Each structure stands twice: as structure tokens, then as C-alpha cells.
Amino acid sequence: MKILVRNLSRSTTEIQIRKIFEEFGKVGNCNLVLDAITGKSKGFAFVEMDDEEQAVRAMKALNETMIDKSRLRVKTAQ
């Protein structure tokens, strides 16, 4: 299942995102979207988890949580 994580702090790293989601199960892919010109975070990422049950649990648990002073928005990627 592909998950969209929005409203990330510009200082949050891909490694941090992966570690947060790995608490709920195996993460297949984690991609923090970066600006092509500046190389800085655009404030959102995509996380892929093969186990749908683990992914749903992670989304419910992490949505609206505070990470690096930002309230995350977590949902299924379209």
C-alpha cells in the first residue's frame, strides 16, 4: 500500500520517516520528495508497506501526530 505523508517539517529526513513507519511493520520504499533546484524537502513523502493491515494501522496511529513541530497528515496515496 502506498501512503502519502504530508505537512512534514523541512528538517525531517527520509531516515526519520522510515524509522517512524517501521515501528508498525516492514517498509518497502520511502521517498522524501525534494525540490529539484534547492535539494530541500518539499514537505511530503511517500511510504510503501506491503502488508495492508500494518499500513492501515500506521496511518491511523501517525495521522495528526507531531513530528519536528509539524502535525502530520497521513493517508492513502491516490
Side-chain angles (χ1 to χ4, degrees):
M1 174 179 274
K2 193 168 187 177
I3 302 166
L4 172 63
V5 185
R6 296 183 348 196
N7 203 40
L8 291 166
S9 166
R10 304 292 186 219
S11 64
T12 303
T13 67
E14 194 170 292
I15 293 169
Q16 286 175 296
I17 298 164
R18 178 178 285 278
K19 283 183 180 180
I20 292 166
F21 276 87
E22 283 177 341
E23 291 177 22
F24 299 92
K26 185 178 178 197
V27 173
N29 190 25
C30 180
N31 181 28
L32 177 63
V33 180
L34 304 176
D35 183 275
I37 296 170
T38 65
K40 294 184 180 181
S41 170
K42 285 190 165 188
F44 68 97
F46 294 99
V47 176
E48 292 182 31
M49 298 179 78
D50 290 334
D51 187 308
E52 189 171 333
E53 186 177 309
Q54 292 174 350
V56 169
R57 201 163 18 110
M59 286 189 296
K60 286 180 180 178
L62 296 173
N63 189 45
E64 299 289 327
T65 59
M66 296 292 289
I67 305 291
D68 289 336
K69 299 180 184 177
S70 292
R71 188 172 307 278
L72 300 185
R73 304 270 196 285
V74 184
K75 65 179 191 173
T76 304
Q78 298 293 323

